[in-house]
Amino acid sequence: MKIKEGFILRDVAGQTIVVAVGKMSKNFNRIIKLNSTGKFIWEKLSSDIERDELVASLVAEYDIDEATASSDADKFIEALKGADILEC
Amino acid sequence: MFTVKLAGYTIRVDNRYDFVEKMCKQYISETDTVDFTVSVSTEDMENEKLLSPEEFSEGYLESLAIYRHIGEEIGRLGGFIFHSAVIEYKGKAYAFAAKSGTGKSTHIRLWRKAFGDGVGIVNGDKPIFRFVGDELYAYGTPWCGKEGFHRNVGVPLGAVCFIERGESNSIEQLPKKEFTEYVFNQVYMPENGESCLSILDMLDKMSETVKIYKLKCNMDIQAAYVARDGMVSEE
Protein backbone atom coordinates (compact mmCIF):
# COMPACT_ATOMS: atom_id res chain seq x y z
CA MET A 1 0.00 0.00 0.00
CA LYS A 2 1.00 3.61 -0.48
CA ILE A 3 -0.25 7.16 -0.11
CA LYS A 4 -1.91 8.53 -3.23
CA GLU A 5 -0.24 11.17 -5.37
CA GLY A 6 -0.97 14.78 -4.57
CA PHE A 7 0.49 15.50 -1.15
CA ILE A 8 3.55 17.42 -0.13
CA LEU A 9 5.26 17.23 3.22
CA ARG A 10 7.42 19.94 4.76
CA ASP A 11 8.64 21.03 8.19
CA VAL A 12 7.41 24.54 8.95
CA ALA A 13 8.30 26.27 12.21
CA GLY A 14 9.28 22.93 13.72
CA GLN A 15 5.95 21.33 12.81
CA THR A 16 5.52 18.70 10.11
CA ILE A 17 2.84 19.75 7.66
CA VAL A 18 1.22 17.86 4.80
CA VAL A 19 -0.68 19.85 2.17
CA ALA A 20 -2.96 18.39 -0.51
CA VAL A 21 -2.24 19.79 -3.96
CA GLY A 22 -3.61 19.40 -7.49
CA LYS A 23 -6.78 17.34 -7.76
CA MET A 24 -6.41 16.21 -4.14
CA SER A 25 -6.83 19.78 -2.91
CA LYS A 26 -10.42 19.85 -4.22
CA ASN A 27 -12.03 17.26 -1.99
CA PHE A 28 -9.82 17.26 1.00
CA ASN A 29 -9.21 18.94 4.28
CA ARG A 30 -6.12 20.64 2.83
CA ILE A 31 -3.65 20.64 5.70
CA ILE A 32 -2.62 17.80 8.01
CA LYS A 33 -0.24 18.18 10.94
CA LEU A 34 1.91 15.22 11.88
CA ASN A 35 3.90 14.41 14.99
CA SER A 36 7.30 12.78 14.58
CA THR A 37 5.94 9.22 14.47
CA GLY A 38 3.28 10.33 11.99
CA LYS A 39 5.98 11.85 9.83
CA PHE A 40 8.01 8.64 9.97
CA ILE A 41 5.01 6.51 8.94
CA TRP A 42 3.93 8.99 6.25
CA GLU A 43 7.38 8.94 4.68
CA LYS A 44 7.42 5.12 4.74
CA LEU A 45 4.00 5.05 3.09
CA SER A 46 5.09 7.48 0.39
CA SER A 47 6.53 4.49 -1.43
CA ASP A 48 4.85 1.11 -1.65
CA ILE A 49 5.25 -0.85 1.58
CA GLU A 50 3.55 -3.86 3.24
CA ARG A 51 1.98 -3.47 6.67
CA ASP A 52 4.38 -5.96 8.29
CA GLU A 53 7.37 -4.16 6.84
CA LEU A 54 6.03 -0.87 8.22
CA VAL A 55 5.58 -2.41 11.68
CA ALA A 56 9.12 -3.82 11.58
CA SER A 57 10.51 -0.40 10.66
CA LEU A 58 8.67 1.19 13.60
CA VAL A 59 10.08 -1.43 15.98
CA ALA A 60 13.58 -0.74 14.68
CA GLU A 61 13.27 3.08 14.70
CA TYR A 62 11.59 3.60 18.06
CA ASP A 63 12.75 0.57 20.01
CA ILE A 64 9.18 -0.42 20.91
CA ASP A 65 7.60 -3.87 21.10
CA GLU A 66 5.76 -5.31 18.14
CA ALA A 67 2.29 -5.05 19.70
CA THR A 68 2.67 -1.29 20.22
CA ALA A 69 4.10 -0.79 16.75
CA SER A 70 1.25 -2.81 15.20
CA SER A 71 -1.37 -0.80 16.99
CA ASP A 72 0.25 2.53 16.01
CA ALA A 73 0.60 1.47 12.40
CA ASP A 74 -2.99 0.19 12.19
CA LYS A 75 -4.43 3.36 13.70
CA PHE A 76 -2.53 5.49 11.19
CA ILE A 77 -3.48 3.25 8.27
CA GLU A 78 -7.15 3.31 9.26
CA ALA A 79 -7.10 7.11 9.47
CA LEU A 80 -5.56 7.36 6.00
CA LYS A 81 -8.08 4.87 4.60
CA GLY A 82 -10.88 6.81 6.24
CA ALA A 83 -9.69 9.94 4.42
CA ASP A 84 -9.42 7.90 1.21
CA ILE A 85 -5.81 8.80 0.61
CA LEU A 86 -4.30 5.33 0.72
CA GLU A 87 -4.13 3.04 -2.26
CA CYS A 88 -3.83 -0.65 -1.43
CA MET B 1 -5.78 42.62 -22.18
CA PHE B 2 -3.55 44.77 -20.00
CA THR B 3 -0.38 44.44 -17.92
CA VAL B 4 0.04 45.12 -14.22
CA LYS B 5 3.00 45.23 -11.91
CA LEU B 6 2.13 43.75 -8.52
CA ALA B 7 4.71 43.15 -5.80
CA GLY B 8 7.39 43.48 -8.47
CA TYR B 9 5.81 40.81 -10.70
CA THR B 10 4.79 41.83 -14.20
CA ILE B 11 1.53 40.10 -15.04
CA ARG B 12 -0.49 40.16 -18.25
CA VAL B 13 -4.20 39.94 -17.59
CA ASP B 14 -6.42 38.56 -20.33
CA ASN B 15 -9.74 39.98 -19.13
CA ARG B 16 -13.27 39.95 -20.55
CA TYR B 17 -14.77 42.64 -18.30
CA ASP B 18 -13.65 46.24 -17.68
CA PHE B 19 -14.04 45.98 -13.92
CA VAL B 20 -10.64 44.47 -13.18
CA GLU B 21 -8.77 46.83 -15.50
CA LYS B 22 -10.32 49.89 -13.83
CA MET B 23 -9.56 48.41 -10.45
CA CYS B 24 -5.88 48.00 -11.42
CA LYS B 25 -5.37 51.48 -12.87
CA GLN B 26 -2.68 52.51 -10.36
CA TYR B 27 -0.70 49.36 -11.15
CA ILE B 28 -0.68 49.38 -14.96
CA SER B 29 2.68 48.63 -16.54
CA GLU B 30 3.85 49.26 -20.10
CA THR B 31 6.50 46.54 -20.01
CA ASP B 32 6.49 43.94 -22.77
CA THR B 33 8.23 41.13 -20.92
CA VAL B 34 5.95 39.54 -18.38
CA ASP B 35 6.45 36.96 -15.63
CA PHE B 36 3.20 35.20 -16.46
CA THR B 37 -0.24 35.67 -18.02
CA VAL B 38 -3.58 34.98 -16.36
CA SER B 39 -6.91 34.38 -18.03
CA VAL B 40 -10.25 33.23 -16.67
CA SER B 41 -12.28 30.30 -18.00
CA THR B 42 -16.04 29.81 -17.78
CA GLU B 43 -15.34 27.09 -15.23
CA ASP B 44 -13.32 29.55 -13.10
CA MET B 45 -16.29 31.95 -13.14
CA GLU B 46 -18.66 29.18 -12.03
CA ASN B 47 -16.24 28.26 -9.27
CA GLU B 48 -16.11 31.85 -7.95
CA LYS B 49 -19.90 32.02 -8.06
CA LEU B 50 -20.11 28.90 -5.91
CA LEU B 51 -17.63 30.29 -3.40
CA SER B 52 -19.27 33.71 -3.14
CA PRO B 53 -21.54 34.38 -0.18
CA GLU B 54 -23.76 36.71 -2.20
CA GLU B 55 -24.55 37.54 -5.79
CA PHE B 56 -21.74 39.54 -7.39
CA SER B 57 -21.36 41.08 -10.84
CA GLU B 58 -19.56 39.09 -13.53
CA GLY B 59 -16.80 41.69 -13.55
CA TYR B 60 -16.22 41.35 -9.83
CA LEU B 61 -16.24 37.55 -10.03
CA GLU B 62 -13.69 37.74 -12.83
CA SER B 63 -11.46 39.91 -10.63
CA LEU B 64 -11.64 37.29 -7.85
CA ALA B 65 -10.75 34.50 -10.28
CA ILE B 66 -7.82 36.54 -11.59
CA TYR B 67 -6.42 37.06 -8.11
CA ARG B 68 -6.80 33.37 -7.39
CA HIS B 69 -4.70 32.63 -10.50
CA ILE B 70 -2.15 35.21 -9.43
CA GLY B 71 -1.99 33.50 -6.03
CA GLU B 72 -1.35 30.20 -7.81
CA GLU B 73 1.50 31.58 -9.92
CA ILE B 74 3.42 33.84 -7.54
CA GLY B 75 4.20 30.98 -5.15
CA ARG B 76 6.86 29.53 -7.41
CA LEU B 77 8.23 33.06 -7.94
CA GLY B 78 8.65 33.64 -4.21
CA GLY B 79 5.44 35.41 -3.17
CA PHE B 80 2.14 34.63 -1.51
CA ILE B 81 -1.17 36.28 -0.60
CA PHE B 82 -1.53 36.86 3.12
CA HIS B 83 -5.06 37.70 4.25
CA SER B 84 -4.62 40.72 6.53
CA ALA B 85 -4.91 44.48 6.82
CA VAL B 86 -1.50 46.09 6.47
CA ILE B 87 -0.43 49.57 7.50
CA GLU B 88 2.87 51.37 7.32
CA TYR B 89 4.31 53.05 10.40
CA LYS B 90 7.84 54.50 10.72
CA GLY B 91 9.00 52.73 7.57
CA LYS B 92 7.79 49.27 8.58
CA ALA B 93 4.67 47.34 7.69
CA TYR B 94 2.37 45.86 10.34
CA ALA B 95 -0.08 43.20 9.23
CA PHE B 96 -3.24 42.63 11.27
CA ALA B 97 -4.98 39.33 10.81
CA ALA B 98 -8.22 38.08 12.32
CA LYS B 99 -11.32 36.09 11.64
CA SER B 100 -13.59 38.23 9.48
CA GLY B 101 -15.82 40.41 11.60
CA THR B 102 -13.29 40.68 14.43
CA GLY B 103 -12.43 44.23 13.50
CA LYS B 104 -9.19 44.47 11.51
CA SER B 105 -10.50 47.55 9.75
CA THR B 106 -11.69 49.08 13.01
CA HIS B 107 -8.30 48.51 14.55
CA ILE B 108 -6.35 50.13 11.72
CA ARG B 109 -8.72 53.10 11.91
CA LEU B 110 -7.74 53.40 15.57
CA TRP B 111 -4.07 53.58 14.54
CA ARG B 112 -4.95 56.33 12.11
CA LYS B 113 -6.81 58.19 14.85
CA ALA B 114 -3.97 57.75 17.34
CA PHE B 115 -0.97 58.42 15.10
CA GLY B 116 -2.50 60.47 12.27
CA ASP B 117 -0.42 60.87 9.14
CA GLY B 118 2.30 58.71 10.65
CA VAL B 119 0.16 55.79 9.52
CA GLY B 120 -0.15 54.87 5.84
CA ILE B 121 -2.28 52.17 4.34
CA VAL B 122 -0.66 49.33 2.39
CA ASN B 123 -3.62 47.03 1.80
CA GLY B 124 -6.88 46.49 3.66
CA ASP B 125 -7.40 42.80 3.01
CA LYS B 126 -5.23 40.78 0.62
CA PRO B 127 -1.66 42.06 0.30
CA ILE B 128 1.11 40.08 -1.36
CA PHE B 129 4.08 39.11 0.81
CA ARG B 130 7.43 38.47 -0.81
CA PHE B 131 10.96 37.93 0.40
CA VAL B 132 13.48 40.46 -0.87
CA GLY B 133 16.74 38.86 0.14
CA ASP B 134 16.16 37.76 3.71
CA GLU B 135 13.53 40.36 4.45
CA LEU B 136 9.82 39.83 4.02
CA TYR B 137 7.99 42.74 2.34
CA ALA B 138 4.28 43.52 2.23
CA TYR B 139 2.97 44.93 -1.06
CA GLY B 140 -0.19 46.83 -1.78
CA THR B 141 -2.47 45.46 -4.48
CA PRO B 142 -5.92 46.64 -5.58
CA TRP B 143 -7.50 43.48 -4.15
CA CYS B 144 -8.08 45.03 -0.80
CA GLY B 145 -11.58 44.52 0.65
CA LYS B 146 -14.66 46.63 0.47
CA GLU B 147 -13.21 49.80 2.01
CA GLY B 148 -10.86 50.18 -0.97
CA PHE B 149 -7.74 50.69 1.18
CA HIS B 150 -4.61 50.18 -0.86
CA ARG B 151 -1.45 51.91 -2.00
CA ASN B 152 1.04 50.84 -4.66
CA VAL B 153 3.98 50.38 -2.28
CA GLY B 154 6.22 47.65 -0.89
CA VAL B 155 7.23 47.99 2.76
CA PRO B 156 9.49 45.72 4.86
CA LEU B 157 7.41 43.84 7.37
CA GLY B 158 7.85 44.89 10.99
CA ALA B 159 5.47 42.34 12.51
CA VAL B 160 2.30 40.33 12.07
CA CYS B 161 -0.41 40.70 14.68
CA PHE B 162 -3.38 38.40 15.25
CA ILE B 163 -6.32 40.26 16.70
CA GLU B 164 -8.83 38.83 19.13
CA ARG B 165 -11.59 40.77 20.84
CA GLY B 166 -11.04 41.33 24.54
CA GLU B 167 -12.43 43.38 27.41
CA SER B 168 -9.13 45.14 27.88
CA ASN B 169 -6.00 45.52 25.75
CA SER B 170 -2.92 43.34 25.96
CA ILE B 171 -0.29 42.04 23.58
CA GLU B 172 2.11 39.11 23.69
CA GLN B 173 4.41 37.33 21.28
CA LEU B 174 2.95 34.26 19.61
CA PRO B 175 4.77 31.13 20.80
CA LYS B 176 6.52 29.43 17.89
CA LYS B 177 4.59 26.22 18.43
CA GLU B 178 1.38 28.12 17.58
CA PHE B 179 2.82 29.56 14.34
CA THR B 180 1.30 27.05 11.93
CA GLU B 181 -2.08 27.08 13.64
CA TYR B 182 -2.39 30.85 13.27
CA VAL B 183 -0.48 31.64 10.09
CA PHE B 184 -1.76 28.91 7.78
CA ASN B 185 -5.33 30.17 7.99
CA GLN B 186 -4.27 33.48 6.45
CA VAL B 187 -2.24 32.21 3.51
CA TYR B 188 -3.65 31.49 0.07
CA MET B 189 -2.32 27.97 -0.40
CA PRO B 190 -2.09 27.21 -4.12
CA GLU B 191 -3.30 23.98 -5.69
CA ASN B 192 -0.15 24.09 -7.79
CA GLY B 193 2.33 21.77 -6.05
CA GLU B 194 5.47 23.67 -7.01
CA SER B 195 4.04 26.97 -5.73
CA CYS B 196 2.79 25.28 -2.60
CA LEU B 197 6.20 23.81 -1.75
CA SER B 198 7.86 27.15 -2.29
CA ILE B 199 5.32 28.83 0.00
CA LEU B 200 5.86 26.26 2.77
CA ASP B 201 9.58 27.02 2.63
CA MET B 202 8.85 30.76 2.76
CA LEU B 203 6.57 30.28 5.78
CA ASP B 204 9.32 28.37 7.55
CA LYS B 205 11.69 31.25 6.85
CA MET B 206 8.99 33.69 8.00
CA SER B 207 8.75 31.82 11.31
CA GLU B 208 12.47 32.46 11.81
CA THR B 209 12.59 36.08 10.73
CA VAL B 210 9.27 37.81 11.44
CA LYS B 211 7.93 38.73 14.85
CA ILE B 212 4.36 37.54 15.40
CA TYR B 213 2.03 38.80 18.11
CA LYS B 214 -1.37 38.10 19.58
CA LEU B 215 -3.33 41.20 20.50
CA LYS B 216 -6.40 41.11 22.68
CA CYS B 217 -8.17 44.39 22.18
CA ASN B 218 -11.37 46.38 22.46
CA MET B 219 -12.45 49.25 20.22
CA ASP B 220 -11.01 51.97 22.39
CA ILE B 221 -8.18 54.13 21.01
CA GLN B 222 -5.99 52.74 23.79
CA ALA B 223 -5.85 49.48 21.77
CA ALA B 224 -3.71 51.20 19.11
CA TYR B 225 -1.22 52.44 21.73
CA VAL B 226 -0.95 49.00 23.34
CA ALA B 227 -0.38 47.38 19.93
CA ARG B 228 2.17 50.00 18.88
CA ASP B 229 4.10 49.85 22.16
CA GLY B 230 4.17 46.05 22.00
CA MET B 231 5.41 45.83 18.42
CA VAL B 232 7.38 48.93 17.53
CA SER B 233 10.76 49.18 19.17
CA GLU B 234 12.16 52.59 19.95
CA GLU B 235 15.32 53.32 18.00
Side-chain angles (χ1 to χ4, degrees), chain A residues 8-23 25-26 30-31 33, chain B residues 47 176-177 179-182 184 189-193 196-197 200-201 203-204 207-208:
Chain A
I8 54 179
L9 179 148
R10 270 288 195 272
D11 285 337
V12 178
Q15 165 83 57
T16 303
I17 300 284
V18 170
V19 183
V21 295
K23 268 188 249 157
S25 63
K26 299 280 188 203
R30 292 278 318 270
I31 294 169
K33 290 181 187 177
Chain B
N47 181 44
K176 198 170 169 189
K177 63 176 169 25
F179 179 89
T180 55
E181 181 191 332
Y182 277 78
F184 273 67
M189 202 56 80
E191 290 174 12
N192 175 306
C196 203
L197 263 183
L200 292 177
D201 288 341
L203 294 178
D204 188 47
S207 77
E208 300 288 338

Side-chain angles (χ1 to χ4, degrees), chain B residues 170-189:
Chain B
S170 64
I171 188 163
E172 58 177 345
Q173 244 181 294
L174 185 80
K176 198 170 169 189
K177 63 176 169 25
E178 293 178 33
F179 179 89
T180 55
E181 181 191 332
Y182 277 78
V183 168
F184 273 67
N185 289 331
Q186 309 306 128
V187 176
Y188 177 72
M189 202 56 80

Side-chain angles (χ1 to χ4, degrees), chain B residues 216-228:
Chain B
K216 285 209 173 75
C217 66
N218 55 32
M219 296 200 259
D220 192 89
I221 193 162
Q222 201 56 34
Y225 287 98
V226 169
R228 196 267 315 259

Side-chain angles (χ1 to χ4, degrees), chain B residues 95-227:
Chain B
F96 294 94
K99 293 197 186 87
S100 65
T102 306
K104 285 183 306 227
S105 306
T106 308
H107 186 73
I108 63 174
R109 281 201 189 91
L110 292 178
W111 274 63
R112 189 76 173 180
K113 216 166 153 186
F115 313 118
D117 290 343
V119 177
I121 193 73
V122 176
N123 182 295
D125 196 47
K126 288 176 188 159
I128 291 175
F129 282 13
R130 175 183 187 177
F131 273 102
V132 178
D134 283 333
E135 198 164 19
L136 195 57
Y137 274 64
Y139 290 86
T141 84
W143 283 266
C144 63
K146 43 183 180 296
E147 290 91 355
F149 292 155
H150 68 98
R151 230 164 18 113
N152 188 356
V153 289
V155 183
L157 195 62
V160 173
C161 182
F162 288 90
I163 300 182
E164 288 165 18
R165 285 266 174 88
E167 290 291 314
S168 57
N169 300 304
S170 64
I171 188 163
E172 58 177 345
Q173 244 181 294
L174 185 80
K176 198 170 169 189
K177 63 176 169 25
E178 293 178 33
F179 179 89
T180 55
E181 181 191 332
Y182 277 78
V183 168
F184 273 67
N185 289 331
Q186 309 306 128
V187 176
Y188 177 72
M189 202 56 80
E191 290 174 12
N192 175 306
E194 191 193 341
S195 282
C196 203
L197 263 183
S198 155
I199 289 176
L200 292 177
D201 288 341
M202 284 188 268
L203 294 178
D204 188 47
K205 191 170 167 186
M206 179 180 172
S207 77
E208 300 288 338
T209 54
V210 176
K211 286 217 170 87
I212 317 243
Y213 296 88
K214 262 197 280 195
L215 172 72
K216 285 209 173 75
C217 66
N218 55 32
M219 296 200 259
D220 192 89
I221 193 162
Q222 201 56 34
Y225 287 98
V226 169

